[in-house]
């Protein structure tokens, strides 16, 4: 059974740091991503990492956030530094499951709340 379990969210003051984790079970991680949804807003893409390790970031987080993954732990991470109040959102991880002869299947975590106080 495929499961993505997120952890690491919480309340932090502006300028602080948090590290989110996303542990995947049911398949070996490859490409992963992080998204967020602020109060009353739409879900937006934050960062992604390819199966080969190439990374991309939204302009709003570039230089402050770092996406990585540990294949041995089958876990993805989002290191968030210099946090701002506008980073407050529920953060979701996303992982693509390769399937032999079939399209990639997208899976989502349950979300973890990040609140940045000013």
């Amino acid at each position: 059974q495929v499961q993505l379990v997120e952890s690491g969210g919480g309340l932090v003051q502006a300028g602080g740091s948090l590290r989110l984790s996303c542990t995947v079970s049911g398949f070996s991680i490859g490409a992963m991503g992080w998204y967020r949804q602020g109060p009353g807003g739409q879900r937006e893409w934050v960062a992604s990492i390819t199966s080969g390790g190439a990374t991309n970031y939204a302009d709003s987080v570039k230089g402050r956030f770092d996406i990585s993954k540990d294949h041995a732990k089958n876990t993805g991470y989002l290191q968030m530094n210099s946090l701002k109040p506008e980073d407050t959102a529920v953060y979701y991880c996303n992982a693509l499951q390769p399937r032999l002869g079939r399209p990639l299947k997208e899976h989502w975590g349950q979300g973890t709340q990040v609140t940045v106080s000013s």
Side-chain angles (χ1 to χ4, degrees), residues 26 51 79 108:
S51 55
Q79 176 68 43
W108 293 88

Side-chain angles (χ1 to χ4, degrees), residues 37-97:
Q37 186 166 9
Q42 291 185 333
R43 190 174 295 189
E44 64 173 0
W45 169 73
V46 174
S48 58
I49 185 167
T50 69
S51 55
T55 58
N56 280 288
Y57 299 91
D59 288 343
S60 58
V61 306
K62 200 172 293 183
R64 299 188 298 122
F65 289 13
D66 181 57
I67 187 171
S68 63
K69 56 181 177 172
D70 184 331
H71 288 275
K73 296 181 179 180
N74 221 39
T75 298
Y77 303 98
L78 185 68
Q79 176 68 43
M80 305 185 295
N81 301 321
S82 302
L83 283 161
K84 305 175 181 179
E86 50 264 43
D87 294 319
T88 294
V90 178
Y91 284 72
Y92 298 89
C93 71
N94 168 285
L96 297 180
Q97 177 188 10

